[in-house]
Amino acid sequence: MKRRVERFQLLLKLAERKRKEADRLLGESQQRVEQAEKGLEQLKAYQLEYQQQFTEAGRGGLTCAQLQTYQAFIGKVSGAGRQQHEALLQSRAQLEQVEAYWRKTQAHYRAMQKLLEKAQADKRQLDEKRLQQQLDERSQHTRSAFI
């Protein structure tokens, strides 16, 4: 029975390591999503600001070269925004996978805890039963000596 408890303690330690690793992965994945969201928002803000500059510059008149330069740059910023949006979608998909793994490791850890607690309770019960048997045997030997 003692070996069973020791095995469950070992399994619980292994489950705890996996749980901590899942915690770390979850945190990293959440940070990647947050960074991708911030990056996308920054690109959108920059694109809007640059388009406003373009509009203001257009009121004063632009040469054909200036117009092409503005349009090319706005196109590049738009492309970067699409790439950042794609990166955000990938980060969110990865976060969903990591969250599923995290939930699985949490459930496994709780299951190992319950198994260990049950094994410990079974061991205590067996130990108490043995102790009671020993006490009963001693009391029988003691009585026969007095009779």
Side-chain angles (χ1 to χ4, degrees), residues 11-23:
L11 290 174
L12 182 64
K13 284 181 185 179
L14 293 173
E16 185 175 7
R17 284 184 198 158
K18 281 187 177 183
R19 186 184 62 129
K20 286 180 180 179
E21 177 67 11
D23 288 345

Side-chain angles (χ1 to χ4, degrees), residues 85-102:
H85 181 71
E86 186 63 33
L88 174 59
L89 292 177
Q90 289 175 353
S91 294
R92 285 181 178 161
Q94 185 182 24
L95 177 59
E96 286 179 19
Q97 291 174 346
V98 170
E99 285 174 336
Y101 175 71
W102 180 83

